[in-house]
Amino acid sequence: MAFSEEIEVIISIYNSNITITDEPDHIKLITYSEQDYLIKLYLPFTYPNASPLFIFSSLNRMFDKSAEEELYEDVQTIMNENLGSEVLFQIIELCRERVTDRRYHQEKALDARHKTDELLFDNSSLSDDIEEFTQSQCTGDRREVGTSGHHPFSTSTQLTESAPNLCVSGDETKIKGRRETERGEMSVDVCVDIVHGEVVIEKKSSFQAHVCVVKSWRDVETFRETLLQDKRIATATHNIFACRFVCPLSGRILHEHDDDGEAAAGGRLAELLRLMAVENAAVIVTRHFGGVLLGPDRFRFINNAARKLLEREGFGEREKEREREREKVNTGGKGKGKKKKK
């Protein structure tokens, strides 16, 4: 692949995240940037027969010293093993994977704390019931209170979930589950709307995305459990998962992902949700292996299936709004306009 072709491929993949500038002594500077980190690759005129100079910097110190040293060592290994070949994509993807993993581990503890906050929030109504029950006993009111309509300390109020009823219509699946007490005297309908994308066949492997609106970890678990009740999905080779939603208590973005055996695929899917500024959505991409190895292309097929469905359902609108805001800032609020003829 010629250098010009490599640059075209890089630009087509990363679009506005890539800038190319000419430096003195026939050196080209390739810069990949996101909101919190920067990758710089200085390419000598003899590239790829000579290795580029690699510089990585982050704004919020997401890497400690040992992690940063490990990143530089791994980048150097890629350069040494591929001297004479194009390495821009490999280096950028390595950095993106490390950043995704670092973000995930940094926020995992915070997410766990917010999960606890959500649980406390859900149980707050029980505390109110206990207080109401105590007051009713003091006033002689013998009516039973609580979310189940029974004594709040009764062991019979533990919730069990019956098998949901599936109704498939077109490309949308609506699932109604019923939660009830062991005594069967309380029921609450839980409705989950799952939208399915088109099945895409690539070299005998099939890819299909599924998306659902979620606003809590309970919604996320219901989505996953419900979808896997479909035997065709449950028996797939991989069900790559990612979710991203706003915590109702703190307003923070909470996220999760799962490779399901397709190494690094979940992190890439989570990164797609972040780049698209998707909120309150969970997505699963189902892959059935067709016997032909796809190599790195499999990640593109997985993300493309998810992106098409997300855009079709309007989850990509925030990304478009953000791009319009950037254009306003760059043009001083005037937007794109035609130049007047003199």
Side-chain angles (χ1 to χ4, degrees):
M1 183 188 298
F3 174 71
S4 58
E5 293 179 359
E6 182 184 14
I7 293 299
E8 287 180 6
V9 171
I10 291 296
I11 292 175
S12 67
I13 294 173
Y14 302 115
N15 202 359
S16 59
N17 295 98
I18 286 286
T19 58
I20 303 170
T21 54
D22 292 321
E23 298 289 311
D25 299 325
H26 305 287
I27 293 176
K28 284 192 178 292
L29 171 60
I30 311 297
T31 305
Y32 177 91
S33 61
E34 290 199 27
Q35 58 184 1
D36 53 357
Y37 72 98
L38 192 72
I39 303 169
K40 289 187 175 182
L41 291 162
Y42 291 89
L43 275 59
F45 71 95
T46 54
Y47 171 84
N49 295 320
S51 298
L53 171 64
F54 168 75
I55 297 176
F56 177 89
S57 59
S58 59
L59 300 179
N60 57 358
R61 297 181 180 275
M62 65 175 68
F63 285 85
D64 55 29
K65 185 176 180 180
S66 61
E68 189 168 300
E69 288 178 352
E70 182 180 358
L71 174 63
Y72 273 84
E73 289 176 0
D74 291 342
V75 168
Q76 189 61 53
T77 299
I78 290 176
M79 294 179 184
N80 293 341
E81 293 179 352
N82 296 275
L83 191 63
S85 302
E86 296 79 9
V87 295
L88 300 183
F89 176 77
Q90 293 184 60
I91 293 174
I92 293 173
E93 279 300 293
L94 173 66
C95 294
R96 281 163 51 88
E97 288 177 12
R98 295 293 172 84
V99 168
T100 298
D101 290 341
R102 182 61 56 171
R103 285 177 180 149
Y104 175 75
H105 290 298
Q106 281 182 340
E107 296 189 7
K108 187 69 175 178
L110 292 175
D111 290 352
R113 187 173 66 186
H114 285 288
K115 285 182 182 179
T116 304
D117 291 342
E118 277 192 357
L119 181 61
L120 294 174
F121 181 76
D122 290 340
N123 290 336
S124 63
S125 60
L126 180 59
S127 300
D128 294 340
D129 290 338
I130 293 172
E131 183 179 353
E132 183 182 349
F133 173 78
T134 304
Q135 291 176 356
S136 68
Q137 298 304 302
C138 294
T139 58
D141 184 358
R142 305 300 298 178
R143 64 188 177 88
E144 296 177 331
V145 298
T147 54
S148 63
H150 298 286
H151 194 295
F153 299 108
S154 173
T155 57
S156 65
T157 60
Q158 295 178 354
L159 297 182
T160 59
E161 186 170 333
S162 64
N165 304 313
L166 275 68
C167 301
V168 182
S169 175
D171 60 355
E172 184 174 352
T173 304
K174 292 187 177 180
I175 300 92
K176 285 190 176 181
R178 186 177 62 186
R179 291 180 179 271
E180 55 187 19
T181 64
E182 292 177 354
R183 293 169 64 174
E185 298 181 14
M186 185 277 291
S187 66
V188 178
D189 285 337
V190 180
C191 187
V192 179
D193 291 341
I194 301 176
V195 182
H196 309 281
E198 298 178 358
V199 178
V200 178
I201 307 297
E202 296 288 351
K203 296 181 180 179
K204 298 183 180 181
S205 286
S206 66
F207 300 85
Q208 184 182 23
H210 320 273
V211 70
C212 177
V213 174
V214 296
K215 296 183 179 180
S216 68
W217 292 115
R218 182 180 297 174
D219 290 346
V220 172
E221 291 304 317
T222 302
F223 164 62
R224 298 184 72 178
E225 292 172 2
T226 301
L227 196 61
L228 292 177
Q229 289 178 15
D230 187 323
K231 291 184 179 180
R232 294 169 301 175
I233 297 174
T235 57
T237 312
H238 306 289
N239 282 299
I240 302 96
F241 160 79
C243 71
R244 195 170 187 267
F245 65 93
V246 179
C247 175
L249 296 178
S250 65
R252 290 183 63 252
I253 296 290
L254 305 182
H255 58 87
E256 185 74 270
H257 69 264
D258 181 11
D259 296 335
D260 193 32
E262 187 71 282
R268 292 168 188 257
L269 190 58
E271 183 70 1
L272 173 67
L273 297 185
R274 191 185 70 81
L275 290 174
M276 293 182 67
V278 170
E279 291 182 1
N280 299 332
V283 61
I284 286 178
V285 177
T286 299
R287 180 192 178 187
H288 289 271
F289 180 61
V292 178
L293 296 175
L294 301 179
D297 285 343
R298 67 189 187 278
F299 299 120
R300 177 163 55 87
F301 299 143
I302 292 167
N303 276 19
N304 281 347
R307 176 185 284 276
K308 287 180 180 179
L309 181 58
L310 289 166
E311 289 180 341
R312 192 188 80 186
E313 296 302 312
F315 287 101
E317 293 302 316
R318 281 183 54 83
E319 180 189 24
K320 296 176 182 177
E321 290 177 7
R322 190 167 60 180
E323 288 297 326
R324 286 194 289 266
E325 290 297 324
R326 287 177 180 173
E327 289 178 5
K328 289 181 180 179
V329 172
N330 294 335
T331 58
K334 297 179 181 179
K336 292 183 178 179
K338 295 181 179 180
K339 294 182 179 180
K340 294 182 179 179
K341 295 182 179 179
K342 294 184 178 179

